């Protein structure tokens, strides 16, 4: 019997193929099966379906191996599964599967369930990258590197300072994903098509069997909203932008002009014509996948924006974007984490890059304010003139300072000012200038130990949270399996 019923004449096969989601339903096949099991358990518990019928349905659902990429043309996996059940058990038995539920609430539930699992994997990946980043901060943290703004040397910083910046932005990605997880944790089941159902189902019980902590309040909202999916697409896109920026830095830092870092061979490729080439291909593809994630977000927003309530088949087109973004994020995180751990920094090349780059000019300006009671803008002008002079004469800043600082200060302030040349020289030293930083979150090497500790604490907390969410999910999985078994065994006994 064809479960599509008798209202319509035969669907054109091209229609079926065109509208079908079967090509990407494989991602949620397991979740669709679990939704069907939980719903049938509830129907039996409420006496809406007899135990013998429920038991047969549950046995089928427990043992089903329905290939989402099966040969028969189907609108979607929901259709394929029910048809397979009817073929196997007969319509007088499997015909109860869809009592009190619709593909609309079923697909919304399955997507959220799969999304929740994906989000946990992405969080785990982000934690792994965080770990790689702090590992680098710990191993090479005191190395002084140029800090850039506008990709121009700005001020010297420690490598740890740079790594902590990546860590902290990843921390916000993790926070965003955790908040998203909480919003995704609401069960649409029981909403049926749009209006709810007269069939007695305890929505809270079904939700619990599916690992949701609550139910969506309004049935129409439950089946027609995809804002959580859009938020996921946005969160993945934002995360991918963080990764893309890290990837971009590795591309730049590993170029010959910089030579700050050597990327491990495992994450590079050579050229088919130029035998010497070492191309940072993993970083490049990570950077490009951020573009795809942004595209997926735009696609999702554009698909949803003009839809009237409630369910429209357009919503189906959002789903594959979601899975692509999620798996790209997972892959990129894993590879970047491994790559970052294998980076080899060239301290000598980095030191050469800092030499003579005037990046301690701000430190000197601050020193002049503190030491000689002039305003910062005056000090800024004096040091700017010194730098200009150094460039024109092709001399190091400290030489020019020895000769010209007193004169420039007098010119700027109209006062005679005695300059302590030794103190000025030490202010101009990159390492010494870092030691004078006092503001929290700054790049003073003395702050590294504390920075490592607070970040280790944050990772520990996030890992504990992740573990708690995972064990709650495992508990409800076991609970569902037990409930299914108890109905099957109860009948067979
Ligand atoms: N394949 C659909 C999707 O992914 C399932 C829901 C279809 N609902 C419907 N009334 N045709 O969104």
């Amino acid at each position: 019997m064809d479960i599509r019923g008798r209202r319509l004449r035969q669907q054109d096969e091209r229609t079926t193929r065109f509208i079908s989601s079967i090509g990407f339903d494989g991602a949620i096949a397991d979740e669709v099966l679990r939704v069907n099991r939980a719903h049938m358990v509830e129907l039996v518990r409420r006496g809406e379906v007899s135990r013998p019928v429920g038991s047969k349905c549950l046995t089928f659902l427990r043992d089903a191996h329905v290939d989402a990429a099966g040969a028969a043309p189907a609108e979607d996996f929901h259709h394929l599964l029910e048809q397979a059940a009817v073929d196997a058990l007969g319509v007088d038995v499997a015909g109860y599967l869809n009592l009190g539920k619709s593909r609309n609430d079923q697909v919304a539930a399955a997507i959220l369930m799969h999304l929740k699992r994906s989000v946990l994997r992405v969080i785990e990946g982000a934690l792994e990258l965080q770990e790689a980043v702090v590992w680098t901060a710990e191993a090479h943290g005191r190395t002084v590197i140029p800090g850039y703004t506008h990709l121009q040397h700005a001020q010297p910083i420690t490598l740890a300072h740079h790594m902590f910046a990546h860590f902290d932005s990843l921390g916000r990605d993790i926070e965003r994903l955790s908040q998203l997880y909480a919003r995704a944790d609401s069960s649409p089941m029981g909403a049926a098509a749009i209006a709810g159902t007269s069939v007695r189902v305890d929505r809270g019980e079904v939700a619990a069997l599916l690992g949701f902590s609550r139910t969506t309040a309004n049935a129409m909202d439950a089946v027609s909203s995809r804002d959580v999916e859009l938020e996921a697409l946005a969160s993945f896109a934002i995360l991918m932008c963080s990764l893309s920026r890290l990837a971009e830095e590795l591309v730049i830092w590993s170029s010959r002009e910089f030579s700050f870092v050597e990327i491990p061979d495992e994450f590079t490729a050579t050229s088919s014509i130029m035998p010497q080439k070492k191309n940072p291909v993993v970083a490049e593809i990570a950077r490009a996948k951020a573009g795809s994630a942004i595209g997926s977000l735009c696609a999702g927003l554009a698909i949803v924006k003009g839809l009237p309530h409630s369910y429209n088949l357009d919503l189906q087109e959002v789903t594959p974007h979601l899975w692509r973004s999620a798996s790209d994020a997972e892959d990129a995180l894993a590879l970047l984490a491994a790559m970052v751990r294998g980076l080899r920094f060239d301290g000598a090349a980095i030191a050469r890059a800092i030499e003579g780059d005037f990046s301690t000019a701000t430190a000197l300006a601050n020193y002049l304010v503190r030491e000689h009671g002039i305003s910062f803008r005056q000090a800024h002008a004096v040091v700017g003139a010194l730098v200009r002079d150094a460039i024109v004469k092709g001399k190091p800043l400290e030489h020019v300072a020895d000769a010209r600082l007193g004169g420039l200060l007098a010119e700027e302030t109209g006062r005679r000012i005695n300059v302590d040349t030794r103190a000025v020289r030490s202010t101009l030293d990159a390492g010494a200038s870092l030691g004078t930083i006092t503001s929290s979150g700054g790049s003073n090497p003395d702050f590294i130990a504390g920075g490592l500790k607070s970040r280790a604490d944050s990772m520990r907390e996030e890992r504990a949270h992740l573990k708690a969410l995972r064990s709650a999910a495992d508990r409800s999985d076991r609970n569902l399996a037990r409930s299914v078994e108890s109905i099957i065994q109860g009948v067979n006994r």
Side-chain angles (χ1 to χ4, degrees):
M1 185 222 168
D2 186 344
I3 63 160
R4 278 183 281 203
R6 290 159 44 177
R7 165 69 178 80
L8 302 177
R9 275 181 281 129
Q10 185 69 31
Q11 194 172 62
D12 188 321
E13 264 204 32
R14 288 171 302 177
T15 301
T16 316
R17 267 199 303 277
F18 186 63
I19 66 156
S20 180
S21 56
I22 207 82
F24 47 86
D25 279 344
I28 53 167
D30 178 51
E31 286 81 3
V32 170
L33 278 164
R34 284 192 287 144
V35 168
N36 272 279
R37 287 181 204 130
H39 185 73
M40 184 50 70
V41 164
E42 186 60 16
L43 290 176
V44 171
R45 281 181 182 168
R46 299 291 140 218
E48 293 281 5
V49 166
S50 73
R51 282 184 175 268
V53 166
S55 167
K56 283 185 193 146
C57 289
L58 287 170
T59 306
F60 174 85
L61 292 169
R62 182 192 60 189
D63 303 334
H65 291 290
V66 182
D67 188 1
E75 291 186 11
D76 49 32
F77 183 67
H78 318 272
H79 174 192
L80 195 75
L81 178 66
E82 192 184 343
Q83 186 67 60
V86 166
D87 292 346
L89 305 176
V91 72
D92 49 334
V93 174
Y96 283 99
L97 278 173
N98 233 39
L99 175 65
K101 78 172 166 63
S102 150
R103 283 185 287 179
N104 297 355
D105 57 349
Q106 177 161 303
V107 77
I111 291 171
L112 292 173
M113 288 160 67
H114 192 76
L115 179 61
K116 283 168 61 190
R117 287 183 178 184
S118 304
V119 164
L120 295 188
R121 283 197 304 271
V122 174
I123 290 178
E124 171 151 50
L127 280 164
E128 240 139 66
L129 180 54
Q130 276 194 322
E131 222 161 69
V133 158
V134 284
W135 184 87
T136 307
E138 203 159 12
H140 313 283
R142 290 188 162 261
T143 305
V144 179
I145 65 169
Y148 296 86
T149 63
H150 313 266
L151 199 56
Q152 304 286 331
H153 285 209
Q155 291 181 282
I157 56 171
T158 60
L159 183 58
H161 190 65
H162 195 108
M163 290 295 144
F164 287 167
H166 283 299
F167 183 101
D168 293 358
S169 88
L170 281 166
R172 286 188 300 281
D173 287 311
I174 292 171
E175 189 179 281
R176 239 185 314 275
L177 290 166
S178 304
Q179 291 167 353
L180 165 72
Y181 186 95
R183 262 188 290 285
D185 197 16
S186 184
S187 172
M189 288 310 294
I194 170 172
T197 173
S198 62
V199 175
R200 284 165 298 164
V201 280
D202 182 326
R203 296 189 59 205
E205 278 198 17
V206 177
L209 289 172
L210 296 176
F212 287 106
S213 68
R214 60 185 194 284
T215 58
T216 313
N218 177 279
M220 194 159 103
D221 177 44
V223 293
S224 67
S225 295
R226 289 295 183 274
D227 57 292
V228 171
E229 287 78 357
L230 295 178
E231 188 183 353
L233 284 165
S235 306
F236 294 144
I238 295 169
L239 166 68
M240 288 303 285
C241 284
S242 310
L243 302 189
S244 179
R245 296 181 73 174
L246 171 60
E248 168 68 359
E249 280 172 3
L250 296 180
V251 170
I252 295 178
W253 284 5
S254 65
S255 71
R256 184 170 160 80
E257 284 69 18
F258 276 75
S259 298
F260 285 7
V261 85
E262 179 83 27
I263 295 176
D265 287 0
E266 299 92 295
F267 307 110
T268 62
T270 190
S271 155
S272 62
I273 175 168
M274 299 165 281
Q276 88 287 5
K277 283 303 286 291
K278 175 170 180 179
N279 296 329
V281 288
V282 166
E284 290 172 299
I285 293 298
R287 197 170 56 181
K289 281 182 183 291
S292 300
I294 294 167
S296 287
L297 168 61
C298 292
L301 290 167
I303 291 165
V304 170
K305 82 164 185 45
L307 298 180
H309 272 72
S310 83
Y311 185 86
N312 300 272
L313 196 55
D314 308 49
L315 294 175
Q316 172 176 292
E317 286 293 302
V318 176
T319 317
H321 289 288
L322 199 55
W323 307 144
R324 175 175 180 181
S325 271
S327 76
D328 280 354
E330 240 186 272
D331 294 347
L333 283 164
L335 277 161
L336 283 173
M339 190 157 92
V340 165
R341 272 183 190 273
L343 292 177
R344 267 181 293 120
F345 290 90
D346 183 343
I350 295 172
R352 272 197 304 279
I354 294 184
E355 219 174 270
D357 72 348
F358 308 118
S359 61
T360 48
T362 313
L364 178 58
N366 286 347
Y367 165 84
L368 295 179
V369 170
R370 209 175 308 116
E371 215 42 43
H372 299 302
I374 63 173
S375 80
F376 178 73
R377 199 46 68 208
Q378 289 172 306
H380 185 282
V382 167
V383 178
L386 272 184
V387 169
R388 193 182 176 81
D389 212 33
I391 292 169
V392 170
K393 297 199 172 109
K395 286 196 175 142
L397 192 57
E398 49 275 22
H399 289 189
V400 181
D402 286 351
R404 299 256 292 127
L405 185 53
L408 282 167
L409 282 169
E411 209 175 281
E412 187 66 32
T413 62
R415 288 191 277 134
R416 240 188 79 91
I417 290 176
N418 282 329
V419 176
D420 177 347
T421 45
R422 273 189 42 185
V424 167
R425 276 181 176 254
S426 111
T427 304
L428 286 174
D429 175 72
S433 85
L434 286 176
T436 65
I437 290 172
T438 52
S439 63
S440 66
S443 186
N444 190 325
D446 292 346
F447 298 170
I448 294 176
L452 286 169
K453 181 172 177 326
S454 66
R455 286 168 181 89
D457 290 347
S458 116
M459 283 190 295
R460 201 170 323 106
E461 263 170 46
E462 287 299 344
R463 284 207 185 280
H465 183 218
L466 191 64
K467 199 168 161 207
L469 291 176
R470 285 222 162 109
S471 42
D474 289 348
R475 256 198 313 282
S476 52
D477 281 357
R478 282 197 301 273
N479 194 8
L480 174 57
R482 252 199 318 273
S483 305
V484 167
E485 283 314 309
S486 90
I487 290 172
I488 294 173
Q489 303 304 332
V491 171
N492 292 345
R493 227 181 296 133

